[in-house]
Amino acid sequence: MTRMYLTPMLTLLMVPLIAIAEPIDCVVSPNATVELGSHHDGILEELLVNRGDRVKIGQPLVRLDSEMEVMNAELARIRADSDIAVRSSQIQEKFRAREHNRLSSLRDNQSVSASVYEQAEIEHSLAKLSMDTATLEHNIAKMEYERTRTQLERRTIKSPVDGLVVAVEMSPGEYVHEQSTLMIIAATDPLHVEVYLPVTSYGTIREGMAATVRPEQPIGGEYPATVAVVDQVFDAASRTFGVRLELSNPEFELPGGLRCMVEFEASVEPEPIVSEPPLQN
């Protein structure tokens, strides 16, 4: 049987796609909602912010009782600052070095026995080891101070995000443990705008496209946003796919949890889907 091969030809598959021309329902939400916890257990000593306050990354929010940690840090600092053992071992090493050198010259003149010289040599080596040990312990004391200082700093819990305090879940005097939620913070800069589009419009929205978001009343107004994510997995039940936009909100002017309408400023022509016909016998 003779096989015949057809020359491969590109075939344009026409898929009906609908450009987004009308405003679409959307929801404005925080980019993250953080349930603030604690690294350590202890009594909540002080709340530094209240519900509704704006917070910045690194801002102190909560302090736990830290009397014991303060004392431990101070004790570690005193040990780290003290170099008495190092200086003492250095003096001892210098003395043993001079003694070893003196006996070495006497040994060359055969004025000292080999056993006395060997004893001096051993004591000099031990003095050097003692000096190295003292230096090591001093360095360990410095690291111990840094560790206790870090533990003390962690008794003050700081904000991991820029945002708003949505809720305060605990009060001063309550016991905090690893599973406790101290407060809830909504990160509102940037805001996320979530919208679901029909699969027939897939390919008309690209990352980086500009859009206009119109929040519901009483907020109102128009705000520029940019497409950040276009889902690559469809929802088969509703035949939709998700799109996320980012909306800059540096002054916290817009709250999260708003319904809105979004209008994409420009639709693009979908890229053609091409295929090659299979080989035929």
Side-chain angles (χ1 to χ4, degrees):
M1 180 183 296
T2 303
R3 291 179 178 267
M4 297 181 63
Y5 297 89
L6 296 180
T7 303
M9 299 178 61
L10 295 179
T11 303
L12 178 63
L13 302 182
M14 301 305 295
V15 179
L17 296 174
I18 300 175
I20 304 300
E22 298 296 326
I24 306 295
D25 289 334
C26 60
V27 175
V28 179
S29 59
N31 67 71
T33 301
V34 180
E35 294 185 359
L36 192 69
S38 171
H39 295 287
H40 302 284
D41 298 350
I43 301 299
L44 198 161
E45 187 172 86
E46 185 179 9
L47 284 171
L48 304 177
V49 294
N50 294 311
R51 177 181 172 182
D53 287 350
R54 299 180 181 182
V55 296
K56 295 291 186 180
I57 292 178
Q59 178 181 337
L61 304 179
V62 176
R63 287 197 180 100
L64 304 182
D65 66 300
S66 56
E67 183 178 359
M68 186 64 67
E69 286 74 15
V70 169
M71 291 192 298
N72 289 338
E74 180 63 16
L75 180 60
R77 185 194 64 79
I78 294 172
R79 288 173 176 167
D81 290 345
S82 175
D83 63 347
I84 294 175
V86 174
R87 289 187 285 114
S88 175
S89 63
Q90 288 174 342
I91 293 172
Q92 184 72 10
E93 191 277 332
K94 289 179 181 178
F95 171 76
R96 294 301 179 185
R98 289 196 301 269
E99 183 70 11
H100 177 260
N101 292 335
R102 184 178 67 83
L103 293 177
S104 179
S105 60
L106 292 176
R107 183 192 180 198
D108 293 340
N109 297 329
Q110 297 183 348
S111 299
V112 65
S113 65
S115 61
V116 172
Y117 172 77
E118 290 174 358
Q119 181 67 27
E121 188 174 37
I122 292 172
E123 289 178 353
H124 180 221
S125 297
L126 291 175
K128 289 194 292 185
L129 289 174
S130 178
M131 184 178 66
D132 292 342
T133 301
T135 302
L136 175 62
E137 290 178 349
H138 189 223
N139 291 334
I140 292 174
K142 291 179 179 179
M143 292 300 299
E144 179 67 19
Y145 170 59
E146 291 298 322
R147 186 178 70 86
T148 57
R149 190 170 63 85
T150 300
Q151 288 180 333
L152 176 59
E153 289 177 353
R154 287 181 130 185
R155 306 293 286 184
T156 299
I157 301 167
K158 301 176 181 179
S159 176
V161 295
D162 293 338
L164 297 169
V165 178
V166 176
V168 177
E169 301 291 340
M170 300 188 72
S171 301
E174 292 189 81
Y175 183 75
V176 177
H177 54 82
E178 291 183 356
Q179 304 302 319
S180 300
T181 297
L182 298 167
M183 62 182 62
I184 300 174
I185 303 172
T188 55
D189 182 30
L191 290 165
H192 284 171
V193 180
E194 303 289 348
V195 57
Y196 290 91
L197 303 174
V199 296
T200 50
S201 63
Y202 187 78
T204 64
I205 304 299
R206 301 278 190 271
E207 291 183 9
M209 283 181 60
T212 300
V213 177
R214 299 183 179 90
E216 66 181 352
Q217 295 298 334
I219 303 299
E222 295 184 353
Y223 301 87
T226 304
V227 175
V229 178
V230 178
D231 287 349
Q232 301 295 311
V233 178
F234 298 160
D235 181 71
S238 63
R239 293 191 57 75
T240 60
F241 66 97
V243 174
R244 170 178 290 171
L245 300 91
E246 286 191 353
L247 195 163
S248 179
N249 190 36
E251 300 300 324
F252 302 130
E253 179 181 0
L254 290 175
L258 278 173
R259 296 193 67 83
C260 61
M261 302 294 289
V262 61
E263 185 174 354
F264 296 93
E265 293 187 2
S267 294
V268 299
E269 291 298 326
E271 296 179 354
I273 302 174
V274 296
S275 66
E276 296 183 2
L279 294 178
Q280 297 182 6
N281 292 334

